[in-house]
Amino acid sequence: MVAPSFKKIAEGCAVKIVFVTDGSRSHSAVLNIEDDPAPSVLKKIRHIEGIAAARVLGVDSESVYFLDAEDTKVNENLNIVSEGLTNVN
């Protein structure tokens, strides 16, 4: 939810943004596109987009966390998610 984030930032609260999946399979999962762009390229694009979105919200890049669980496979990567969430400070 965006509006509560703006309110918290305005109040001086520390806001963290966590992206659980890497975004690498968004095109294949939704559009059946496997290679244009390649999953590795999509992952990089999603990171850039995530940081840009955080800036729009007033959150600096040091408060953005990418856990990079493979898109569509969170259940198979719960250890990555759990460990990543533990490292959010």
Side-chain angles (χ1 to χ4, degrees), residues 32-85:
N32 268 346
I33 299 171
E34 293 292 335
D35 59 1
D36 187 22
S40 61
V41 174
L42 265 176
K43 180 178 175 178
K44 291 176 186 173
I45 291 169
R46 297 298 181 234
H47 279 229
I48 293 166
E49 291 172 338
I51 290 170
R55 284 190 191 126
V56 169
L57 295 172
V59 177
D60 60 48
S61 60
E62 291 81 32
S63 296
V64 179
Y65 296 83
F66 296 93
L67 304 187
D68 287 333
E70 186 177 346
D71 237 4
T72 74
K73 297 187 178 182
V74 171
N75 285 340
E76 298 169 25
N77 292 288
L78 291 177
N79 58 327
I80 292 171
V81 174
S82 178
E83 183 177 321
L85 289 173

Side-chain angles (χ1 to χ4, degrees), residues 13-24:
C13 295
V15 173
K16 310 288 183 185
I17 298 174
V18 179
F19 292 94
V20 175
T21 62
D22 64 7
S24 67

